[in-house]
Amino acid sequence: MSGDISPLAPKRYPELPAIDGVRIETAAAGIKYKGRTDLMLMVFDQPAAVAGVFTTSKCPSAPVDFCRGNLGGGRARALVVNSGNANAFTGQKGRVATTMTAEAAAKAVGCTEAEVFLASTGVIGEPLDATKFAGVLDGMAQSASGARWLDAARAIMTTDTYPKVATRTAKIDGVTVTLNGIAKGAGMIAPDMATMLSFIVTDADIEPEALQTMLGHYVGSTFNAVTVDSDTSTSDTLLVFATGAASGSGAGRIAGADDPRAEGFAKALSDMMEDLAVQIVRDGEGARKQVEIIVESAVSDGSAGRIARSIANSPLVKTAIAGEDANWGRVVMAVGKAGEPADRDRLAIWFGDVRVAVDGERDPGYSEASASEVMKRDEILIRVELGIGSGSARVFTCDLTKAYVEINGDYRS
Amino acid sequence: MSGDISPLAPKRYPELPAIDGVRIETAAAGIKYKGRTDLMLMVFDQPAAVAGVFTTSKCPSAPVDFCRGNLGGGRARALVVNSGNANAFTGQKGRVATTMTAEAAAKAVGCTEAEVFLASTGVIGEPLDATKFAGVLDGMAQSASGARWLDAARAIMTTDTYPKVATRTAKIDGVTVTLNGIAKGAGMIAPDMATMLSFIVTDADIEPEALQTMLGHYVGSTFNAVTVDSDTSTSDTLLVFATGAASGSGAGRIAGADDPRAEGFAKALSDMMEDLAVQIVRDGEGARKQVEIIVESAVSDGSAGRIARSIANSPLVKTAIAGEDANWGRVVMAVGKAGEPADRDRLAIWFGDVRVAVDGERDPGYSEASASEVMKRDEILIRVELGIGSGSARVFTCDLTKAYVEINGDYRS
């Protein structure tokens, strides 16, 4: 595995302010590697509202099962995340590890185990030795502080080449509230959802049901609209926490997602989710190019989405992009294989602003030179018009390079 | 694109005998490259029964449309196949090219255009200049002869590194009949069907409906059970021709697929289809290993098939195999992402004869050394037992290597 940072990494990271009501600490617990920061604790000194979305995998990890069980309570006091081991497909040992971690976190923070949330990312199938956490969580809960967001983002990385952070503000009742988010993910990334962890915290005061509804509204067009390799993790977890601390400054409680006072907040949340999701794609294993696929005039949004994913997940499309080849024939192939309604003779395809195909054949005005120029960029838009309806969808992906094969052909060693 | 022959190529090719009733010729028509054999003509001097299966793509090539139109007639006098250009997504020009080719073939052979079948493979979206065929088909029809099967298999190759041929015999009414088959395909290969052309000819005397029924029975477990890269071509075509010449020696006509006299023939046909399908996988672009995926005790055969394809198409599973890494965690991931019924805690997984996981966790008796030994082989079996029903399925695939990316990142140039 090369230690190179993705060429699509941000040139600089935004400064994430402390958020009232949450403290953060990281540690090197020695889960897989010695001396590497691999453990992150968030402490909510007052119970925070929590909402979440998880992998659709039929073989979810033990921490996903654990979080699902606690989500109904709607309140969080601690979040414990480790990298290096996914605690997935670890059977009874996996459940023992989540129980032990939750007990240690509850004791360290002074809450019940039902207020603890967990996530793990890394190798599947290796038992996770949770005794490594038990010894360090007490001290972490003591020393946790507000402005540790970039450290937190680094602690949850696996094959990621850069930490993923984002921050936004919004007004509720005229008072500024803040949202901070971190994410990780680089491979085993596909819609519904990705090998992806993301944790967002706000000081806004929002009821869990309202937060959950907002997540449901926005996850489809953000985290579920990215794919690196079509592979879906056992461990995908997106959690949003609202500490409510801003209510002390006059940003009153939001009880429902349709409350007009929450409009700005919802917009900021959606925008941040897209930002973090696209950061994941830009760090796709071996990625050299970010690719945006837009499918328009399909019979429905759902159909457009399935066609967009078929294009985004096609190895032949992705290798052509890696080779800077405007091979729109492979886009036609991927439209055709999606199994969705399409009329070959009405298809039009653009690479960037160059229309390469129209009415089911090569655009007579198409210039190979201008298409080649588009393909040299590091952000490439592929747009497909089906011409048969009004459904549309957008999906983000990256190219498929030799480096992806290299990284994944030698991951466990 | 490297000129290396797949390490999984056959050590030697079987000798394919002439089959009464069919003559073959090949030529270099200059479709894409100068001096490369790229055109193949089969002539049936008497009308042969014909049956076929085609791509499920919603954007099929012009030749696929053309063949579908003629299949209802059930009789063939000529088959024209070119490599170098798929005549796909070529709009009105594509239809002009198929019409012109069929006219030239009909004239050369002395039949109607309804008795001509066509297939094209190669680049998508480039207009095919059919005038290049018109000049050579007359001479090809004259000089065509019986024992040209290996030449025929070579003429239809694109990124294939070796020609794919197979031969079988069977008895009908105590008389020996012969089946010869050729195939091509190396990338854009996925179930339902692959970028795959295959043509099978027998001297048995079989009605078109009976042939079609047999094809339908066997295509699911053979050609539709192979996948190289999950990409489905616009051009997939499997045609079977029965010249009926053996009826002169006493092998009487088969009118229905359930005729017990056809049992041996059906077995030989199915066996040959599997042979050709596996040859395609073994020539998968960049492939170094043949992989057989068996899924057992699923809720149904269909469910087992979807899980097997999810494993076979997973880039993470395929890169792990390329890296000779017995990474069964990725197999769990692929089972989970299939969306089919599965109980994580009842899963068992084998690599070769080594059980690596059982009851939802690592097999306590699992030895990394013995699994590593299995992964070094060039034929690898991955078997998954779900333990929840009696459905099963088998799929063939290959590993995903850097060479795949290399070949497909620079195909058009």
Side-chain angles (χ1 to χ4, degrees):
Chain A
M1 197 185 324
S2 83
D4 295 343
I5 291 171
S6 165
L8 306 176
K11 302 289 174 267
R12 55 175 218 84
Y13 300 108
E15 195 88 29
L16 269 62
I19 287 189
D20 285 344
V22 61
R23 296 182 296 118
I24 300 173
E25 184 57 289
T26 64
I31 295 161
K32 187 175 174 202
Y33 302 107
K34 292 263 172 256
R36 186 195 182 290
T37 302
D38 53 14
L39 187 61
M40 190 269 289
L41 172 69
M42 282 192 192
V43 180
F44 305 98
D45 288 318
Q46 298 299 319
V50 58
V53 184
F54 303 94
T55 182
T56 57
S57 173
K58 300 291 181 182
C59 299
S61 69
V64 166
D65 281 351
F66 182 89
C67 285
R68 282 197 172 113
N70 279 356
L71 201 66
R75 295 292 160 181
R77 290 287 314 279
L79 168 69
V80 183
V81 185
N82 72 274
S83 58
N85 186 315
N87 192 16
F89 207 62
T90 42
Q92 180 55 31
K93 292 190 191 74
R95 288 183 283 276
V96 169
T98 53
T99 302
M100 187 183 292
T101 308
E103 283 170 0
K107 180 174 149 293
V109 170
C111 67
T112 70
E113 286 134 46
E115 295 168 305
V116 176
F117 288 79
L118 303 176
S120 296
T121 176
V123 171
I124 299 174
E126 301 286 332
L128 173 65
D129 179 6
T131 60
K132 290 181 173 168
F133 305 154
V136 294
L137 286 170
D138 272 343
M140 290 172 77
Q142 300 289 324
S143 58
S145 67
R148 301 291 306 282
W149 289 90
L150 199 61
D151 290 344
R154 284 191 203 280
I156 64 173
M157 286 165 57
T158 55
T159 56
D160 304 62
T161 72
Y162 60 84
K164 293 155 192 78
V165 296
T167 183
R168 296 288 186 280
T169 58
K171 297 265 189 191
I172 293 177
D173 298 332
V175 175
T176 298
V177 298
T178 304
L179 301 86
N180 282 356
I182 62 174
K184 69 81 51 179
M188 209 183 281
I189 299 280
D192 298 318
M193 313 203 345
T195 303
M196 194 221 75
L197 302 182
S198 184
F199 309 104
I200 296 172
V201 183
T202 179
D203 54 357
D205 189 3
I206 304 184
E207 290 283 357
E209 294 73 15
L211 262 192
Q212 189 68 43
T213 302
M214 289 182 204
L215 268 196
H217 282 168
Y218 303 127
V219 76
S221 60
T222 59
F223 287 111
N224 281 348
V226 298
T227 176
V228 166
D229 52 16
S230 81
D231 278 338
T232 305
S233 162
T234 56
S235 309
D236 303 322
T237 299
L238 165 63
L239 291 169
V240 181
F241 303 91
T243 69
S247 64
S249 318
R253 176 164 301 179
I254 303 292
D258 52 358
D259 185 330
R261 294 154 55 230
E263 203 174 296
F265 176 85
K267 168 85 182 57
L269 177 64
S270 150
D271 194 52
M272 167 182 257
M273 286 166 69
E274 180 177 319
D275 182 345
L276 290 168
V278 171
Q279 286 191 56
I280 289 172
V281 158
R282 292 176 70 88
D283 201 13
E285 287 168 345
R288 295 293 173 267
K289 291 174 191 293
Q290 175 192 324
V291 186
E292 180 177 355
I293 315 271
I294 294 179
V295 173
E296 293 177 329
S297 55
V299 293
S300 68
D301 288 352
S303 179
R306 285 183 287 276
I307 292 170
R309 280 169 176 73
S310 177
I311 299 168
N313 284 326
S314 159
L316 287 169
V317 170
K318 293 162 85 82
T319 49
I321 294 166
E324 302 192 338
D325 177 8
N327 193 323
W328 53 272
R330 294 184 183 173
V331 178
V332 175
M333 175 281 298
V335 172
K337 84 165 179 169
E340 293 294 320
D343 179 341
R344 181 187 60 197
D345 297 337
R346 295 178 118 170
L347 270 184
I349 299 171
W350 281 256
F351 282 88
D353 47 4
V354 178
R355 190 176 68 180
V356 292
V358 63
D359 297 338
E361 55 186 303
R362 188 166 61 189
D363 189 327
Y366 154 67
S367 128
E368 184 98 18
S370 55
S372 289
E373 195 279 314
V374 167
M375 300 309 289
K376 291 198 174 71
R377 299 178 194 160
D378 63 9
E379 293 182 15
I380 291 173
L381 171 66
I382 300 178
R383 188 158 67 84
V384 175
E385 272 190 14
L386 293 170
I388 56 172
S390 58
S392 66
R394 183 167 65 147
V395 166
F396 292 95
T397 188
C398 56
D399 55 344
L400 171 58
T401 67
K402 286 189 226 178
Y404 177 88
V405 178
E406 194 167 289
I407 291 165
N408 287 300
D410 197 26
Y411 178 72
R412 292 205 316 170
S413 52
Chain B
M1 198 183 328
S2 86
D4 296 344
I5 291 170
S6 166
L8 306 175
K11 300 290 173 267
R12 58 176 217 86
Y13 300 109
E15 194 88 28
L16 269 61
I19 287 189
D20 285 346
V22 61
R23 297 182 296 119
I24 300 173
E25 184 57 289
T26 63
I31 295 162
K32 188 175 172 201
Y33 302 107
K34 292 265 173 252
R36 187 198 183 290
T37 302
D38 54 13
L39 187 60
M40 190 270 288
L41 172 68
M42 283 192 190
V43 180
F44 305 97
D45 287 319
Q46 299 298 320
V50 58
V53 184
F54 303 94
T55 182
T56 57
S57 172
K58 300 292 181 181
C59 298
S61 68
V64 165
D65 281 352
F66 182 89
C67 285
R68 283 198 171 114
N70 279 357
L71 201 65
R75 295 291 161 183
R77 290 287 314 281
L79 168 68
V80 182
V81 185
N82 74 274
S83 57
N85 185 314
N87 192 16
F89 207 62
T90 43
Q92 180 55 29
K93 292 190 191 76
R95 290 183 282 276
V96 169
T98 53
T99 303
M100 186 184 291
T101 308
E103 282 171 0
K107 179 174 149 293
V109 169
C111 66
T112 70
E113 287 134 47
E115 295 168 305
V116 175
F117 289 78
L118 303 174
S120 297
T121 175
V123 170
I124 298 174
E126 300 288 331
L128 173 65
D129 179 6
T131 61
K132 289 181 175 168
F133 304 154
V136 294
L137 286 170
D138 272 343
M140 290 172 77
Q142 299 288 323
S143 59
S145 67
R148 301 290 305 281
W149 290 91
L150 199 60
D151 290 344
R154 283 191 204 281
I156 65 173
M157 285 164 57
T158 55
T159 55
D160 304 62
T161 73
Y162 61 84
K164 292 153 192 79
V165 296
T167 183
R168 296 289 186 280
T169 58
K171 297 266 190 190
I172 293 178
D173 298 335
V175 175
T176 298
V177 297
T178 305
L179 301 88
N180 282 356
I182 62 174
K184 70 80 51 179
M188 211 184 279
I189 300 280
D192 298 317
M193 310 199 350
T195 302
M196 194 220 74
L197 303 180
S198 184
F199 309 105
I200 295 173
V201 183
T202 179
D203 54 358
D205 189 3
I206 303 184
E207 290 284 359
E209 293 75 14
L211 263 191
Q212 189 69 44
T213 302
M214 289 183 204
L215 269 195
H217 282 167
Y218 303 127
V219 76
S221 60
T222 59
F223 287 111
N224 281 348
V226 299
T227 176
V228 167
D229 53 16
S230 81
D231 277 339
T232 305
S233 162
T234 56
S235 309
D236 304 320
T237 300
L238 165 63
L239 291 168
V240 181
F241 303 92
T243 69
S247 64
S249 320
R253 176 163 302 179
I254 302 294
D258 53 357
D259 186 331
R261 294 152 57 229
E263 203 175 295
F265 175 86
K267 168 86 182 56
L269 177 64
S270 150
D271 194 52
M272 167 183 257
M273 286 165 68
E274 179 176 319
D275 182 345
L276 290 168
V278 170
Q279 286 191 56
I280 289 171
V281 157
R282 292 176 69 88
D283 201 13
E285 286 169 345
R288 295 293 174 267
K289 291 175 190 292
Q290 176 192 322
V291 185
E292 181 177 354
I293 315 271
I294 294 179
V295 173
E296 294 177 328
S297 54
V299 292
S300 69
D301 288 352
S303 179
R306 286 183 287 275
I307 292 170
R309 280 170 176 73
S310 177
I311 299 168
N313 285 327
S314 159
L316 288 169
V317 170
K318 293 162 85 82
T319 48
I321 294 166
E324 303 192 337
D325 176 7
N327 193 324
W328 53 273
R330 294 184 183 174
V331 178
V332 175
M333 175 282 297
V335 171
K337 84 164 177 169
E340 294 293 320
D343 179 342
R344 180 186 61 195
D345 297 337
R346 295 177 117 171
L347 271 183
I349 299 170
W350 281 256
F351 283 88
D353 46 5
V354 179
R355 191 176 68 181
V356 292
V358 62
D359 297 337
E361 57 186 303
R362 189 166 61 189
D363 189 328
Y366 154 67
S367 127
E368 184 98 19
S370 55
S372 288
E373 195 279 315
V374 167
M375 300 309 289
K376 290 198 174 73
R377 299 178 194 161
D378 63 10
E379 293 181 17
I380 290 173
L381 170 67
I382 300 178
R383 188 157 67 83
V384 175
E385 273 190 12
L386 293 170
I388 56 173
S390 59
S392 66
R394 183 167 65 148
V395 166
F396 292 94
T397 189
C398 56
D399 54 345
L400 171 58
T401 66
K402 285 188 227 177
Y404 177 89
V405 178
E406 194 167 291
I407 292 165
N408 287 300
D410 196 27
Y411 177 73
R412 293 204 317 170
S413 50

